[in-house]
Amino acid sequence: PNTTLFRSKEVSMNTLTLTVVVLVVYMGAMLAIGYYGRNKSDNFKDYVTAAKRGGFLMVCGSYIGSHIGNGVVVGGAEYGAEYGIGGAWFGVGASLGYVVFAFVVARKLYRANALTLSDVLNQRYGKRITGTIYAVINCFAAMSIMAGQITAGKNLFSYLGMEPVIGAVLVCIVVFIYATMSGQWGVLMTDVIQVGVIFACVLLSMLYMAMTGAFGVMAEALPASSWSVMPFGTEQWVMMLFPSMLYGLVSCASFQRNVSSKDEKTAFLSALWGGLILLPFVVLPVLMGMYGRALFPDAPASSIMFQVLLEVFPGWLAAIMIAALMAAVMSTVDSQLIYITASFTNDIYIEYIDKNADQKRINRLAHVVTFVVGCMVLYFALSAQAIISMLSYAYTFLCAGTLVMFVGGIFWKKATRPGAVAAAAVGILFVVLYKFCGVNLPYSSIFPILPSAIAFVTVSLCTQPKTSKTAD
């Protein structure tokens, strides 16, 4: 490539200073929103559903915020550097997950008038065992996702030459404070702002790349395979597309946004348009990763986004984009945090410990749980080295253990509670066999769903309630 089109440089003190200033201002704005919304959750139900005040803009923006960050942006750039334009399939799956959620379950879940997905399962199957299974699996998945996001933020601070632990702690404390103060309302409102920042920064980055001849550099330096939409085999394509798409059906974050909508129409349209708006956007970070690969062919794919930002883009754009990536961390962590709070308080404390707790006590408990869980996740993220690998485990376990019993229970009238439990057990068993016992499975990222479905149907048919015989 023409080396005059870019410059290689160390992170300058001006860029670092500007980045710190932007981050401080941004975090201050997030805290101000949390403080403003502190009186919008007078009781536990309002705390976890934003008092059902979510309009289309708030809820749709929050849907986008759940995926747009370190999954679609940083992950998309990494996949772009590794696979080329075909790296967009992960983002496509995440986007389509919202579209599928909208058409398949959004209206039904809103009509259920439940606080958590565990409530929906308990209503369907009549006993709390199914809801408890879902709560345990989903809380584990949510904590893993949060820890992975915090680790990604820590790595960004490290790349900047800043103290990674202190940086990650400060970012997380901001999230914990505004989420604790304003609950789901604060999550929705801050997500909208975070998505706006990310959209604007990525579009500015594309404009800068176009103005400086980046696409010519990519065309000259990258092999033809980088422009193939299927640069890998079918199994790799399935792994990139379908787990993130199917996860949308059982996502706790999607459910919490659904029940925070002001009406059923908003619940449907916000999920649908969240997916449709996100869909074309997912290609842009992939192009940034491809540009990074053209300029730095030997750089690790995992850090390619940071290298492009700090060694190619102007300091002011790099600083704003880094703030956007921190927004990405925050927009994913806050929604998962609120759902864990809702699940622990509603599905464990109320169900098993104190069914008669008054709203005031429950609301106080929810605030405490939000902060305590946040601190626990922060500790795990800072002390663990392989936390990112837990993300794939989390998604796989969640889909294998809950997808069939949840979707099957909604649409199949003959589904029974034993069938649902069998589906969860068999799905998790096959994940364990594959992940930890070395058993080879075809299309392993989604294969456990098949035996889970077989167990679900078989056991449900064998445990149909007996009908009493009537006398002639």
Side-chain angles (χ1 to χ4, degrees):
N2 184 351
T3 56
T4 62
L5 294 178
F6 65 93
R7 64 188 186 280
S8 179
K9 59 183 179 65
E10 297 294 329
V11 180
S12 69
M13 185 59 67
N14 288 339
T15 299
L16 182 59
T17 302
L18 184 58
T19 299
V20 172
V21 170
V22 171
L23 285 173
V24 169
V25 171
Y26 184 82
M27 292 181 195
M30 298 298 100
L31 288 174
I33 292 172
Y35 181 78
Y36 175 78
R38 69 193 186 285
N39 296 322
K40 296 186 180 295
S41 52
D42 296 330
N43 55 61
F44 172 67
K45 185 175 181 179
D46 289 351
Y47 184 79
V48 298
T49 65
K52 291 191 175 293
R53 298 176 183 175
F56 173 79
L57 179 62
M58 287 178 66
V59 181
C60 181
S62 190
Y63 271 111
I64 297 171
S66 184
H67 273 312
I68 199 174
N70 283 309
V72 167
V73 176
V74 179
E78 179 179 344
Y79 280 139
E82 188 170 350
Y83 299 111
I85 200 69
W89 281 113
F90 171 80
V92 170
S95 304
L96 293 179
Y98 287 149
V99 177
V100 172
F101 178 86
F103 282 108
V104 176
V105 296
R107 294 184 184 275
K108 290 181 178 292
L109 292 181
Y110 191 84
R111 292 171 193 161
N113 195 30
L115 290 182
T116 65
L117 276 171
S118 294
D119 277 348
V120 177
L121 287 168
N122 290 337
Q123 291 173 13
R124 170 60 182 85
Y125 293 109
K127 293 288 184 179
R128 60 190 181 186
I129 181 62
T130 51
T132 301
I133 290 173
Y134 179 86
V136 171
I137 295 175
N138 217 335
C139 283
F140 164 74
M143 292 180 73
S144 298
I145 293 167
M146 290 166 61
Q149 293 291 321
I150 293 169
T151 301
K154 183 178 68 173
N155 292 341
L156 174 56
F157 280 106
S158 180
Y159 194 89
L160 285 168
M162 301 166 65
E163 174 52 51
V165 173
I166 294 176
V169 168
L170 289 175
V171 169
C172 293
I173 286 176
V174 170
V175 176
F176 303 158
I177 291 175
Y178 78 67
T180 302
M181 283 194 295
S182 56
Q184 181 70 1
W185 184 91
V187 169
L188 296 179
M189 185 60 70
T190 53
D191 279 358
V192 171
I193 297 173
Q194 290 157 358
V195 167
V197 171
I198 296 170
F199 262 65
C201 289
V202 172
L203 292 174
L204 282 173
S205 300
M206 290 293 108
L207 179 62
Y208 179 81
M209 287 170 57
M211 293 174 61
T212 56
F215 294 97
V217 172
M218 292 158 62
E220 182 181 345
L222 296 176
S225 60
S226 295
W227 302 98
S228 171
V229 295
M230 284 286 288
F232 30 64
T234 305
E235 185 159 356
Q236 177 70 22
W237 174 74
V238 168
M239 185 186 73
M240 291 182 70
L241 178 68
F242 284 94
S244 57
M245 184 171 69
L246 294 175
Y247 169 72
L249 288 172
V250 290
S251 166
C252 58
S254 294
F255 174 82
Q256 219 60 41
R257 291 173 172 96
N258 176 277
V259 298
S260 300
S261 302
K262 64 180 182 179
D263 52 43
E264 185 178 318
K265 182 179 179 180
T266 301
F268 170 76
L269 290 178
S270 57
L272 174 62
W273 280 103
L276 294 178
I277 293 170
L278 187 60
L279 188 57
F281 177 86
V282 301
V283 178
L284 304 185
V286 173
L287 292 172
M288 294 179 69
M290 294 171 65
Y291 184 40
R293 176 58 69 224
L295 299 181
F296 311 107
D298 298 323
S302 59
S303 64
I304 203 76
M305 168 70 81
F306 308 143
Q307 195 156 355
V308 170
L309 287 176
L310 296 170
E311 299 189 30
V312 180
F313 288 177
W316 64 269
L317 183 54
I320 298 174
M321 189 66 186
I322 288 167
L325 295 179
M326 287 299 97
V329 172
M330 298 164 79
S331 66
T332 303
V333 170
D334 58 14
S335 58
Q336 300 292 337
L337 185 59
I338 290 297
Y339 188 84
I340 292 178
T341 298
S343 187
F344 177 86
T345 307
N346 185 71
D347 305 329
I348 297 176
Y349 181 80
I350 295 177
E351 281 287 338
Y352 292 96
I353 299 174
D354 189 357
K355 289 182 176 292
N356 300 316
D358 58 54
Q359 283 293 310
K360 188 175 182 180
R361 178 188 300 176
I362 296 172
N363 200 33
R364 284 199 304 266
L365 175 65
H367 285 72
V368 173
V369 170
T370 300
F371 195 80
V372 170
V373 169
C375 292
M376 290 172 56
V377 171
L378 177 61
Y379 173 78
F380 294 146
L382 295 179
S383 60
Q385 297 299 317
I387 196 71
I388 295 297
S389 64
M390 291 178 62
L391 294 176
S392 62
Y393 290 167
Y395 284 117
T396 303
F397 270 106
L398 184 61
C399 287
T402 67
L403 181 67
V404 171
M405 75 172 181
F406 175 65
V407 177
I410 290 178
F411 291 100
W412 191 36
K413 293 182 178 180
K414 291 186 177 182
T416 64
R417 184 169 63 255
V421 175
V426 170
I428 291 174
L429 172 64
F430 272 82
V431 174
V432 171
L433 291 175
Y434 168 69
K435 292 285 188 181
F436 303 107
C437 300
V439 177
N440 291 323
L441 300 175
Y443 298 96
S444 56
S445 59
I446 60 171
F447 181 86
I449 297 173
L450 177 60
S452 175
I454 294 173
F456 179 69
V457 173
T458 303
V459 175
S460 289
L461 291 177
C462 292
T463 56
Q464 292 295 299
K466 296 180 180 179
T467 56
S468 58
K469 297 182 179 181
T470 57
D472 293 332

